[in-house]
Amino acid sequence: MPSDETPAPRAMELLRRVPYGRLATSMRALPFLAVARHIVSDGRILLRMHSGFGYHEACDGSVVAYGADNYNAASADKGEGLWSVQFTGPAEIVHPCPEQEELFGAAPVRANGEPFAPAYLRIDPHFATEHTLGFDASQVVRHAA
């Protein structure tokens, strides 16, 4: 994909609608999922996560997957449909500029009971997919009883 093109514009636009997603890769030959705060900047995905788990180090220089969805969003209850997006590409540890840090907003105070220490990753998405589930206006999306 040419570097001057924004990858999967619709998927990137959907990603901007929610603040958190899940990072997937492997660490010591075992798969893991980690929750991360994200922003979209210059066609790339910047993640903020807790550094205490070491996940950012396992991702640095590796191809990772990142996904987000609106499955718990209020818009899903209004018949607007559900969606999920997934991105795959190389990740690297970065230090965001002050403007990017501001876009992340307030960081959590704790992660698993310890003080939250931010680590930042940049994903250069090479592959993106999106999936949608549509409902008509008469349907309401609810939890099963």
Side-chain angles (χ1 to χ4, degrees):
M1 155 177 311
S3 60
D4 59 344
E5 236 179 82
T6 301
R10 169 117 170 104
M12 292 297 247
E13 188 271 317
L14 290 171
L15 186 64
R16 285 183 168 101
R17 295 182 185 184
V18 295
Y20 285 87
R22 291 163 217 84
L23 175 69
T25 194
S26 62
M27 189 164 111
R28 297 181 199 100
L30 297 173
F32 73 85
L33 286 174
V35 82
R37 172 75 169 96
H38 64 258
I39 63 170
V40 177
S41 179
D42 297 324
R44 294 180 173 156
I45 302 164
L46 296 180
L47 304 180
R48 179 181 67 197
M49 57 196 315
H50 178 54
S51 64
F53 304 137
Y55 297 154
H56 64 295
E57 292 168 343
C59 295
D60 191 31
S62 298
V63 172
V64 301
Y66 187 72
D69 58 61
N70 74 337
Y71 295 165
N72 290 322
S75 64
D77 291 335
K78 297 176 185 171
E80 295 178 16
L82 299 172
W83 56 262
S84 67
V85 293
Q86 304 81 38
F87 301 88
T88 305
E92 83 176 280
I93 294 173
V94 295
H95 302 285
C97 67
E99 295 82 15
Q100 291 168 326
E101 281 190 39
E102 188 175 320
L103 290 173
F104 279 108
V109 175
R110 301 202 176 291
N112 286 3
E114 64 181 61
F116 183 84
Y120 298 90
L121 287 172
R122 180 179 62 220
I123 301 173
D124 185 12
H126 288 200
F127 181 74
T129 58
E130 69 177 83
H131 301 286
T132 60
L133 293 174
F135 299 90
D136 68 34
S138 67
Q139 293 175 300
V140 179
V141 179
R142 295 189 190 161
H143 292 288

